[in-house]
Amino acid sequence: MPESLVTRAREILEQAHVPYSEYRVGAALRTVDGEVFVGCNIENANYSNSLHAEEVAVAEAIKNGHREFDRLAVTSGARDGVTPCGMCRQTLAEFCDEDLVVVCDEGGEETTEYTLGELLPNTISLDTLEAAEAKRE
């Protein structure tokens, strides 16, 4: 259920390290077998070394041997319907199918759902890299 994933994403917000932006983000990624991995954003003073909530959740799941996912919930302290940024969309595309459901927290009981394919069409993948290589040969 999206609500439980949103709840898990909201709960991890408190662990976010955001002394610069003060914009907390939480993510909850569910495996096809129902296990949930959470992540929060962890900022760094140089910003480019900051970790995003979605990539922290993906890393935790991958570290624990999971490679198949069906849902992701994303929330922010502002409950503003935040979606994964472009970098996180590409990271998700590396490990998730285009039909991954992305649930975005609008606040209260309201959510908006997308598929990863809607958020990132024509993604860079092993197939697109191999196709480009074949064209160069």
Side-chain angles (χ1 to χ4, degrees):
M1 314 253 343
E3 297 79 31
S4 63
L5 277 182
V6 170
T7 298
R8 296 286 302 274
R10 286 178 178 178
E11 290 170 351
I12 196 66
L13 284 174
E14 292 306 311
Q15 300 303 315
H17 175 74
V18 292
Y20 310 106
S21 73
E22 298 181 10
Y23 186 78
R24 295 176 183 278
V25 178
L29 178 64
R30 186 175 72 190
T31 66
V32 294
D33 60 358
E35 196 163 348
V36 176
F37 293 89
V38 295
C40 59
N41 54 331
I42 304 167
E43 293 179 346
N44 186 292
N46 74 356
Y47 284 98
S48 66
N49 287 10
S50 295
L51 301 173
H52 296 196
E54 301 90 334
E55 66 184 344
V56 172
V58 167
E60 187 67 18
I62 297 297
K63 179 185 84 164
N64 282 281
H66 295 277
R67 298 286 191 281
E68 296 181 3
F69 310 99
D70 65 359
R71 288 183 92 77
L72 170 75
V74 183
T75 189
S76 74
R79 305 291 197 273
D80 55 2
V82 65
T83 64
C85 72
M87 183 176 77
C88 289
R89 292 174 192 195
Q90 183 62 48
T91 297
L92 289 164
E94 183 72 19
F95 298 102
C96 304
D97 294 331
E98 65 182 17
D99 62 350
L100 174 81
V101 176
V102 179
V103 180
C104 302
D105 187 4
E106 302 282 354
E109 301 297 316
E110 298 295 317
T111 60
T112 302
E113 292 187 8
Y114 305 92
T115 64
L116 182 57
E118 290 173 316
L119 293 174
L120 186 65
N122 305 314
T123 185
I124 299 169
S125 67
L126 179 58
D127 291 340
T128 59
L129 294 175
E130 288 174 346
E133 178 68 24
K135 284 184 178 180
R136 286 194 300 271
E137 292 177 352

